Amino acid sequence: MFSTGDIVIDQLKEEKVKIVERMEVWGFISYKVYNPSEDEIYKLAEDQIRPIEEKTGTYNENYIKYISLLGKIKNEVSTGILSSLASGIIPLPHQKYVLNRALRDNNIRYILADEVGLGKTIEAGLIIKELKARGIIKRILIVCPKGLVTQWNLEMSEKFNEKFHVILPEDHKTIRKLTENDDIYSEFDQVISPMDSIKPLEKRAGWTAERIEAHNRERIHSIVHSGWDLVVIDEAHRVAGSSGEVARHKLGRQLAFASPYLLLLTATPHNGKTEPFLRLIRLVDEDAFPNVKAIVKEQVAPYIIRTEKREAIDNKGKRLFKNRNTQVEEVEWDERHSMQSELYSRTTEYVTQSYNKAKRARGKNMWFIFLLIIMQRMVTSSTRAIRESLERRLEVLLKEDFRLNHLSEEDLYEMEFEENLDDVIQTDAMNVRNEAKELQEIVEIAKQAEFQYMDAKVEPFMNIVDELLGKNTNQKIIVFTEFVATQKYLSELLEKQGFTTSKLNGSMGIEERNKVLEDFKTESQLLISTDAGGEGLNLQFANVVINYDLPWNPMKIEQRIGRVDRIGQQQDVFIYNFILKDTVENRVKTVLEEKLSLILEESGIDKYSDVLDSEFSEMSFTDAYLKSLGNPKQVEFFLKPVEKDLKTQVKNAEKFRDVIHEEKDLKPLVGTESNFDVERALRKMVMYYENYKGRSYLPIDQLSINDPQIIRHLHQDFTRTKDEAIPVISIENFPNEEGYFSLWEISLADSNQAKRVIPVFITKEMILRPIAGQKIWETILKEEHPIGVNGEFDLKQELFQKIEDMAKEVSYDTFLEMKNAFEKKKEETYRKYLYALELRIDAARNIGIENIRNHKLLKLMREKEEVEKEYQTGLKVFPEFKPLLLIYLEG
């Protein structure tokens, strides 16, 4: 007969359980038991349980190693950086530095500003994983450009085992229908949303104010008021905006103030423009930066974490990045390409004349200006691209099938060629008859050019591909172009020559995009990608980039190269840049690069990315190119404003480089991940357990801290009773004293983060050896020290009590440290959640409809009461001190 409180064996599961209630009805006896390994209470019949035998006879080496390793893992869970448990992640020194710094204090609102290719996504993932493991955050929103949505989703899933829901505008109706809830964002705790799909609309042609308000309410209002614990904004410089009125900046402000925790990710936080940087850093802490005078190093430093490529090292202390080799391929037209040369001249003439007219009526013709930019870019990309688009434009003109859309100058330079091509082709014409007549003539020239000979760039392009793949058929090559039509053209040519290709562009959905990337990685020799398609890719398994056409902004080329020149690249990177020699674009590019190189050389800044990644740069480059087209002899003159602006930016960048630069020593973090390989330990722990049980077992390759099997082990109660016999062991190749080795678990609460395992060694003369306990524990876990189990014996109650008392005494300081940290963490969590709740309450007070406002406020007040109640309850500690392992160690 057993009593309440007894520890017994559940014979069905062969696990220790605790009796919480004895029940007897009509002679039938049953017990309600608590199983700590499953955190469950259930019933067992009397014949389904048995007492723990005084002499188990089951101790063996696997049991000793299993308990010892379980204790070690419990310590890692409670005190280590848990993000290292993420599948496939071994953080690099600079990433460990970011994690440690971000978690150093409790106001986790930072700009993560590492240079391109250093893994800011991984750093954010590490922080997310750690905050979740500590129980600080639950609801997480990631906002990023559309092209990065897939990458974020994959990184979080594959590297961190975190499931995020991608919510696109087209999903809203379906989610509402399935959930019967208008507040769709509240249905999911972890969401990724494209930046531009949720930014507020100011106006749209043909839309009433009511429709715009409904649109904004559905998107930005809904997402902001969903009660996020952490908001992550990638490419955050985009929400700095060219002014405080830009829609993206309004989105950034609302998101920043809707969450207690905030991470802004950008490689270019400060490009010499003080106002955008001020707007950006005010998102992190508005009070700390009331005006530009606050932009000083001492004030900025606590909010920015930045590593530059030149200081990044790997886990062996070696330089992280490989060398770059860039080769410019200048292509000349010959007699075979006379019609292509003519096509370029006629298109350029048309674009120049139309651009000058459109500029004079600037406010009304921004879409038309965008169309002209695309046409000029296409004519140097491929004959097919310009011919197909001109034919589609001509059809619109003849049918007068126009779309009237408002477009500001700021919006113009945020447009993507690929994404907005259909819209721009249907833009209104300045003069339908004249434009149609001119385009008909240019289309005829384009058809003749295609018929005459293949594009001038094709032959040298194919020669390079032939040479590279001839040397190594497994070589992976990435080809970039700005246009889908050129992409298809190149793919057809390559496939005809027997090469295998994959195509990636911005129109592809997540599943299709993933399949293309997998095909390129495993099968295809070449990936042909547009800029929108390539955004956010990690393709470091390839090391060759061919830029078949070149953007006007040099930083876009840098972004392309960054797809391969990043962490994990094992080879030197080779870049081939194609440009048509006898073009105005080549002249502008040559002069621009000369001026830029001179400016950078004079200032000591060696990277374009320090000064060029801004919307203003895009605008100034475009304007200079378009003006130069009509007056190629005056390129120097038209580049003077660009040169002046670049010099100003460089001067400011130089001034503010020290403001955002962070002095650090990464060497102490080299190799720290190898002290304890948690992933390997998890697999070994399960293997030891199965061997201890005498079962045949093959280790699982991918185990993580979140797997049910692992959770079961971490919750397993291996508390030994005072009546149990203890094993007598010896350790080979290890000189030790004779005595009692034990592992004791201190517990303050049910959470794994509130537990700690302490090793204790007491000699047979009952002398405490504090250092020896840790040394013995480490030795038991090593493969090179086999353990012999040489029997077992009963330990007298008095002796057990004396060992426990000595262990308690040596563990008291650890208990106090844990208690203080536990209470501090609870208080900080409470303060953060309270802050977020107050923001939501303030937002609810602005709801216009009274009954909805009152209902929302009542709900939030109840939530606040619950948070306060949970905080007060959670401050209570219920300390336990129990033995996990007690053995006698022979000398």
Side-chain angles (χ1 to χ4, degrees):
M1 182 180 294
F2 303 103
S3 304
T4 301
D6 287 349
I7 305 293
V8 295
I9 298 294
D10 173 353
Q11 295 190 98
L12 300 177
K13 298 182 179 180
E14 284 298 316
E15 292 176 354
K16 289 181 184 178
V17 294
K18 185 176 184 177
I19 294 175
V20 295
E21 186 181 349
R22 181 180 182 275
M23 298 166 288
E24 184 173 357
V25 182
W26 299 307
F28 289 88
I29 299 174
S30 59
Y31 296 91
K32 192 178 287 186
V33 301
Y34 171 67
N35 185 328
S37 69
E38 299 177 354
D39 195 22
E40 268 187 53
I41 294 176
Y42 52 87
K43 294 176 183 178
L44 290 173
E46 187 175 28
D47 60 356
Q48 290 177 320
I49 62 177
R50 71 169 189 269
I52 296 176
E53 300 167 8
E54 290 188 9
K55 294 202 174 190
T56 62
T58 58
Y59 294 121
N60 58 33
E61 180 180 15
N62 285 304
Y63 174 82
I64 305 297
K65 284 187 175 287
Y66 166 68
I67 298 294
S68 299
L69 192 50
L70 175 63
K72 180 70 173 174
I73 292 171
K74 282 189 173 189
N75 264 4
E76 290 293 317
V77 169
S78 65
T79 62
I81 294 296
L82 298 187
S83 45
S84 62
L85 298 175
S87 178
I89 292 294
I90 299 177
L92 289 157
H94 70 276
Q95 293 169 338
K96 296 175 205 170
Y97 175 83
V98 170
L99 181 61
N100 291 335
R101 241 209 79 184
L103 300 173
R104 188 180 300 164
D105 63 34
N106 306 296
N107 185 30
I108 301 171
R109 295 177 70 86
Y110 290 101
I111 299 174
L112 304 188
D114 285 358
E115 287 188 328
V116 175
L118 285 172
K120 290 181 288 296
T121 307
I122 298 299
E123 292 165 358
L126 293 172
I127 293 169
I128 288 170
K129 198 75 175 175
E130 182 65 19
L131 291 178
K132 282 190 69 178
R134 296 182 180 194
I136 293 175
I137 63 172
K138 181 181 179 183
R139 290 182 50 72
I140 305 156
L141 171 67
I142 296 172
V143 176
C144 60
K146 180 183 175 183
L148 301 184
V149 168
T150 298
Q151 188 63 33
W152 269 100
N153 202 26
L154 285 173
E155 296 271 297
M156 293 300 103
S157 174
E158 293 178 358
K159 292 187 168 66
F160 297 97
N161 198 30
E162 291 290 337
K163 172 65 177 175
F164 276 79
H165 295 269
V166 174
I167 298 183
L168 306 173
E170 55 264 33
D171 302 327
H172 290 189
K173 288 183 180 178
T174 304
I175 295 172
R176 282 197 195 92
K177 187 175 181 180
L178 290 173
T179 62
E180 298 181 348
N181 185 356
D182 285 339
D183 187 6
I184 60 172
Y185 291 99
S186 67
E187 291 292 323
F188 309 104
D189 284 335
Q190 300 190 166
V191 171
I192 300 173
S193 182
M195 186 181 291
D196 286 339
S197 73
I198 57 173
K199 70 182 181 184
L201 278 181
E202 296 296 324
K203 53 187 174 181
R204 177 172 284 182
W207 281 33
T208 63
E210 291 75 17
R211 186 178 177 187
I212 288 173
E213 173 59 27
H215 173 92
N216 288 339
R217 186 166 57 249
E218 181 181 272
R219 287 165 170 76
I220 180 65
H221 297 167
S222 175
I223 202 168
V224 164
H225 298 152
S226 286
W228 306 105
D229 304 320
L230 170 67
V231 169
V232 180
I233 303 178
D234 195 12
E235 298 293 323
H237 54 275
R238 298 190 183 194
V239 300
S242 56
S243 76
E245 294 304 309
V246 172
R248 284 178 181 171
H249 182 63
K250 291 182 177 179
L251 169 67
R253 276 184 59 82
Q254 292 185 60
L255 290 175
F257 299 124
S259 169
Y261 299 111
L262 177 69
L263 295 177
L264 303 178
L265 279 57
T266 172
T268 54
H270 199 310
N271 286 58
K273 299 287 182 181
T274 305
E275 290 297 334
F277 180 70
L278 178 63
R279 286 192 290 273
L280 183 69
I281 203 163
R282 278 171 64 87
L283 299 180
V284 180
D285 191 332
E286 191 169 39
D287 294 336
F289 298 95
N291 51 51
V292 293
K293 293 180 181 178
I295 307 299
V296 294
K297 189 175 183 66
E298 294 74 18
Q299 189 78 344
V300 168
Y303 299 93
I304 288 190
I305 310 176
R306 178 173 174 84
T307 300
E308 297 173 6
K309 281 186 175 181
R310 61 182 175 81
E311 60 188 342
I313 53 178
D314 63 19
N315 275 310
K316 294 180 180 177
K318 296 180 179 178
R319 190 165 65 95
L320 194 57
F321 287 88
K322 301 297 180 180
N323 295 320
R324 277 192 192 186
N325 302 277
T326 302
Q327 184 173 321
V328 177
E329 297 290 330
E330 283 192 333
V331 180
E332 295 187 60
W333 285 308
D334 57 30
E335 65 275 6
R336 297 172 301 173
H337 313 109
S338 59
M339 295 308 298
Q340 289 174 40
S341 177
E342 175 68 13
L343 176 63
Y344 173 80
S345 298
R346 285 295 302 274
T347 303
T348 301
E349 181 183 353
Y350 168 73
V351 167
T352 303
Q353 291 174 355
S354 301
Y355 176 67
N356 291 333
K357 292 176 185 176
K359 288 277 282 187
R360 288 193 286 270
R362 194 178 192 97
K364 299 178 182 178
N365 297 292
M366 296 313 298
W367 274 106
F368 187 67
I369 288 174
F370 187 35
L371 174 63
L372 296 174
I373 294 169
I374 289 178
M375 289 173 66
Q376 188 63 38
R377 302 297 300 120
M378 277 186 172
V379 78
T380 56
S381 178
S382 71
T383 305
R384 179 185 292 189
I386 186 66
R387 192 257 304 161
E388 287 184 355
S389 292
L390 289 178
E391 285 177 339
R392 288 163 63 193
R393 174 63 178 170
L394 191 56
E395 185 180 354
V396 168
L397 291 169
L398 296 175
K399 292 181 178 179
E400 296 194 20
D401 181 21
F402 301 120
R403 280 186 200 167
L404 297 174
N405 290 310
H406 173 79
L407 186 69
S408 68
E409 189 165 354
E410 287 84 1
D411 291 334
L412 170 64
Y413 295 103
E414 291 181 6
M415 294 289 106
E416 295 288 349
F417 293 159
E418 182 183 341
E419 190 175 320
N420 299 100
L421 184 58
D422 289 337
D423 289 327
V424 78
I425 282 178
Q426 288 187 266
T427 192
D428 199 5
M430 293 178 64
N431 185 312
V432 176
R433 180 178 296 178
N434 288 348
E435 185 182 345
K437 182 176 181 296
E438 189 120 26
L439 293 191
Q440 279 176 328
E441 294 175 5
I442 298 175
V443 166
E444 287 304 313
I445 296 172
K447 288 178 180 178
Q448 293 176 51
E450 279 190 290
F451 182 76
Q452 182 186 32
Y453 200 72
M454 60 185 175
D455 284 0
K457 289 190 286 184
V458 167
E459 195 170 339
F461 168 72
M462 296 297 286
N463 288 340
I464 288 173
V465 172
D466 264 330
E467 184 181 353
L468 290 170
L469 293 174
K471 292 178 181 176
N472 179 8
T473 55
N474 295 319
Q475 177 76 63
K476 298 290 182 181
I477 300 171
I478 302 168
V479 181
F480 275 106
T481 176
E482 292 187 295
F483 303 103
V484 172
T486 303
Q487 179 188 55
K488 291 178 181 176
Y489 174 62
L490 292 177
S491 178
E492 290 170 9
L493 288 172
L494 290 162
E495 296 279 352
K496 283 179 183 177
Q497 295 299 315
F499 300 112
T500 53
T501 67
S502 295
K503 298 189 294 294
L504 190 66
N505 57 61
S507 67
M508 293 178 171
I510 291 173
E511 289 186 10
E512 187 180 5
R513 182 182 173 92
N514 293 347
K515 186 178 185 307
V516 168
L517 293 174
E518 183 61 27
D519 287 345
F520 176 50
K521 190 171 185 178
T522 58
E523 297 178 16
S524 305
Q525 295 166 307
L526 296 101
L527 174 70
I528 309 174
S529 177
T530 61
D531 287 311
E535 192 171 30
L537 294 182
N538 293 328
L539 300 172
Q540 52 270 63
F541 57 87
N543 72 314
V544 176
V545 172
I546 298 177
N547 292 305
Y548 191 77
D549 45 43
L550 293 174
W552 287 344
N553 187 339
M555 260 314 295
K556 288 193 173 181
I557 303 173
E558 181 68 26
Q559 289 164 358
R560 290 175 174 185
I561 299 167
R563 301 305 103 219
V564 300
D565 187 19
R566 57 199 308 111
I567 292 169
Q569 179 58 260
Q570 300 299 313
Q571 307 172 73
D572 286 348
V573 174
F574 293 88
I575 302 112
Y576 298 87
N577 293 331
F578 279 81
I579 191 162
L580 292 165
K581 185 176 182 180
D582 297 323
T583 59
V584 181
E585 285 89 340
N586 189 28
R587 172 65 178 151
V588 177
K589 174 180 172 291
T590 302
V591 175
L592 177 63
E593 286 182 347
E594 288 172 358
K595 291 181 178 296
L596 186 57
S597 296
L598 187 60
I599 293 169
L600 297 183
E601 185 180 339
E602 289 173 352
S603 65
I605 294 175
D606 58 356
K607 298 181 297 299
Y608 288 175
S609 58
D610 283 344
V611 291
L612 295 185
D613 191 18
S614 68
E615 289 174 5
F616 186 85
S617 294
E618 185 73 26
M619 293 164 66
S620 57
F621 289 140
T622 301
D623 196 53
Y625 269 94
L626 287 171
K627 285 178 178 176
S628 298
L629 290 171
N631 300 278
K633 293 181 179 179
Q634 297 187 51
V635 169
E636 295 266 0
F637 174 77
F638 292 122
L639 280 175
K640 281 189 181 298
V642 179
E643 183 181 12
K644 181 181 177 182
D645 181 66
L646 287 174
K647 284 182 177 178
T648 301
Q649 285 199 56
V650 168
K651 185 178 178 182
N652 289 336
E654 207 172 359
K655 177 182 175 182
F656 289 106
R657 183 167 46 173
D658 289 337
V659 172
I660 64 174
H661 178 68
E662 184 180 2
E663 290 294 340
K664 66 177 76 69
D665 183 8
L666 297 175
K667 290 181 181 177
L669 294 169
V670 169
T672 53
E673 83 293 337
S674 63
N675 291 341
F676 186 71
D677 187 337
V678 183
E679 292 286 350
R680 184 166 177 265
L682 291 172
R683 293 192 287 271
K684 285 178 68 177
M685 178 190 73
V686 175
M687 181 187 71
Y688 286 140
Y689 181 78
E690 297 298 322
N691 289 341
Y692 157 58
K693 288 294 186 181
R695 294 194 286 254
S696 175
Y697 179 76
L698 293 174
I700 296 174
D701 289 334
Q702 297 295 331
L703 281 176
S704 77
I705 198 71
N706 298 311
D707 290 326
Q709 189 172 9
I710 296 301
I711 292 170
R712 176 176 169 274
H713 281 280
L714 292 175
H715 283 91
Q716 181 84 310
D717 188 359
F718 281 94
T719 307
R720 63 179 312 284
T721 66
K722 296 181 180 181
D723 298 328
E724 284 185 77
I726 68 171
V728 178
I729 76 163
S730 57
I731 303 175
E732 285 187 29
N733 308 316
F734 181 66
N736 59 272
E737 291 184 86
E738 198 165 343
Y740 301 92
F741 172 75
S742 52
L743 293 175
W744 299 82
E745 183 177 83
I746 305 173
S747 175
L748 302 184
D750 290 334
S751 166
N752 284 325
Q753 277 69 54
K755 301 180 190 295
R756 192 81 60 84
V757 177
I758 307 292
V760 177
F761 180 69
I762 301 168
T763 68
K764 65 178 181 178
E765 290 84 14
M766 302 309 290
I767 300 170
L768 180 69
R769 302 287 195 210
I771 298 175
Q774 184 66 38
K775 187 69 177 175
I776 292 167
W777 193 13
E778 292 170 359
T779 304
I780 287 174
L781 295 174
K782 292 178 180 177
E783 300 286 350
E784 60 266 30
H785 295 282
I787 295 171
V789 180
N790 307 321
E792 53 191 68
F793 69 86
D794 293 328
L795 191 68
K796 293 181 180 180
Q797 289 275 355
E798 300 82 18
L799 183 55
F800 178 89
Q801 193 60 54
K802 189 169 184 179
I803 292 172
E804 183 178 26
D805 290 342
M806 293 177 73
K808 275 183 183 175
E809 185 177 346
V810 78
S811 303
Y812 183 66
D813 287 345
T814 301
F815 162 71
L816 288 180
E817 176 191 322
M818 290 173 64
K819 180 176 177 293
N820 292 336
F822 179 79
E823 291 171 347
K824 183 180 179 183
K825 189 180 296 183
K826 287 286 183 183
E827 194 277 330
E828 289 159 359
T829 304
Y830 166 70
R831 182 169 56 82
K832 292 291 183 184
Y833 277 117
L834 203 61
Y835 173 68
L837 268 171
E838 291 297 339
L839 289 174
R840 290 161 62 195
I841 289 169
D842 286 343
R845 290 194 179 108
N846 295 322
I847 295 174
I849 303 172
E850 185 178 3
N851 64 327
I852 296 177
R853 179 175 67 245
N854 292 340
H855 175 75
K856 186 79 171 179
L857 284 170
L858 181 61
K859 186 178 177 182
L860 288 169
M861 290 302 180
R862 286 174 180 165
E863 186 177 344
K864 185 176 179 181
E865 288 175 8
E866 286 297 315
V867 169
E868 290 173 342
K869 184 179 177 181
E870 285 179 16
Y871 168 63
Q872 295 300 330
T873 304
L875 281 178
K876 300 293 183 185
V877 295
F878 305 94
E880 284 188 81
F881 188 72
K882 54 190 182 183
L884 294 181
L885 181 68
L886 179 54
I887 57 180
Y888 188 78
L889 185 58
E890 293 181 329

